[in-house]
Amino acid sequence: MILAGNWKMNKTNEQAKFFVNKLVQDLAGMGFQIVLCPPFVFLSDIAEILKGSNLHLGAQNCYYEKSGAFTGEISPLMLKELGVKYVIIGHSERRHIFGETDEMINKKIKAVLNSGMKPIICIGETKEEREKGLTFCVVESQLRQALFGLNRDDIDQIVIAYEPVWAIGTGIVAKPNQAQEVHKFIRELLEQLYDQESAQKVPILYGGSIKPDNFFGLMVQPDIDGGLVGGASLDDQFIELAKIISGLI
Ligand code: PEP
């Protein structure tokens, strides 16, 4: 199980440090992967606070080149050097606000893997696509393109996050059975593309308006292996979510 918090563009550096110090204390000893993905500029300070704790550092994005004339971008090597273990790639806000294509996402995934970190690969359909009955088609296409050129060893290092766009930041959460059917579909597609053993090992997280009162029902689904959390990762709700997972393992 993995619980990952995507802070997006929130908090000041002081607020970030205060909150992480609290998390380190309150989440100590929890026996599953807990990942904090703060804005880039806080990574260095937060890395210091996380040293010796059971919490892991994640980033929200990166570029796919190692270095060079790419003003404003951050390379995977820079993140790795700071102690980052996970990198969110292809979040719907990156796709829709910043125009990231499936091809760019594939390059970023390869760059993250080549730098020895784990990509959290986000996929999911929009409201219009769901209403047109295109959910499985969109998810399949995004996943196939994201994984293009990845071998079995690479697959051991990835995390997938199914995040229906209509559920992100809207307060409308997918029903557990709605999420489960897509997660099962993703698992079966991984089996087809690789093999059953590899497919079973890939953590498939759900993301989209997770809150302490809707989390349990999602987490008990057989193909849901944790959550990628936005809003509820910014305050004590994150501790409640961690306790729910802790009670399940
Ligand atoms: C997200 O940003 O990945 C997310 C799921 O956001 P929220 O939990 O706020 O819907």
Side-chain angles (χ1 to χ4, degrees):
M1 289 292 246
I2 299 177
L3 179 64
N6 173 16
W7 291 9
K8 311 193 188 192
M9 197 174 69
N10 288 297
K11 295 194 187 290
T12 64
N13 201 22
E14 285 312 306
Q15 290 168 342
K17 287 191 285 187
F18 180 81
F19 184 49
V20 174
N21 271 304
K22 185 174 195 306
L23 292 179
V24 165
Q25 282 180 12
D26 292 2
L27 304 180
M30 293 212 175
F32 58 95
Q33 296 274 301
I34 302 174
V35 185
L36 307 180
C37 306
F40 288 135
V41 288
F42 305 156
L43 285 171
S44 185
D45 282 351
I46 293 180
E48 280 303 311
I49 303 172
L50 294 188
K51 272 189 188 144
S53 80
N54 57 324
L55 308 188
H56 300 282
L57 197 56
Q60 299 175 17
N61 179 32
C62 72
Y63 197 53
Y64 48 79
E65 296 289 354
K66 286 195 177 101
S67 63
F70 303 104
T71 302
E73 293 295 325
I74 304 284
S75 85
L77 286 177
M78 294 170 185
L79 298 177
K80 175 76 177 169
E81 199 181 18
L82 289 178
V84 167
K85 186 168 175 189
Y86 293 88
V87 187
I88 299 172
I89 298 291
H91 189 279
S92 86
E93 286 147 22
R94 301 290 327 163
R95 291 176 188 261
H96 297 116
I97 303 174
F98 300 102
E100 284 193 12
T101 62
D102 287 307
E103 194 189 342
M104 286 167 75
I105 289 163
N106 175 252
K107 284 186 183 168
K108 289 184 177 200
I109 292 166
K110 287 175 175 160
V112 167
L113 289 167
N114 286 338
S115 303
M117 298 178 292
K118 294 171 183 283
I120 302 178
I121 304 167
C122 300
I123 54 176
E125 80 289 359
T126 62
K127 184 168 178 274
E128 293 71 32
E129 288 161 346
R130 177 161 279 264
E131 283 168 358
K132 285 187 190 149
L134 294 173
T135 298
F136 295 112
C137 183
V138 169
V139 165
E140 175 165 357
S141 159
Q142 289 176 341
L143 192 59
R144 278 184 186 273
Q145 293 183 78
L147 303 183
F148 180 75
L150 267 59
N151 62 30
R152 276 190 185 73
D153 289 344
D154 296 327
I155 291 304
D156 284 350
Q157 301 305 318
I158 69 165
V159 177
I160 294 173
Y162 169 57
E163 298 207 304
V165 180
W166 47 271
I168 298 179
T170 58
I172 303 167
V173 64
K175 293 187 187 76
N177 65 323
Q178 262 179 334
Q180 166 56 23
E181 68 171 0
V182 181
H183 282 234
K184 185 165 178 278
F185 175 79
I186 293 169
R187 186 91 62 204
E188 285 168 359
L189 186 58
L190 290 171
E191 266 180 46
Q192 242 183 67
L193 294 173
Y194 298 92
D195 56 48
Q196 201 183 14
E197 202 193 331
S198 309
Q200 285 304 326
K201 277 196 257 170
V202 176
I204 309 176
L205 315 184
Y206 167 80
S209 294
I210 286 175
K211 298 279 177 264
D213 65 1
N214 59 35
F215 198 47
F216 180 83
L218 288 158
M219 289 308 111
V220 292
Q221 300 301 314
D223 289 296
I224 301 187
D225 307 312
L228 177 56
V229 188
S233 72
L234 294 169
D235 55 34
D236 287 357
Q237 293 178 87
F238 195 64
I239 299 164
E240 294 308 308
L241 299 175
K243 285 182 183 161
I244 291 170
I245 294 190
S246 199
L248 285 171
I249 55 172

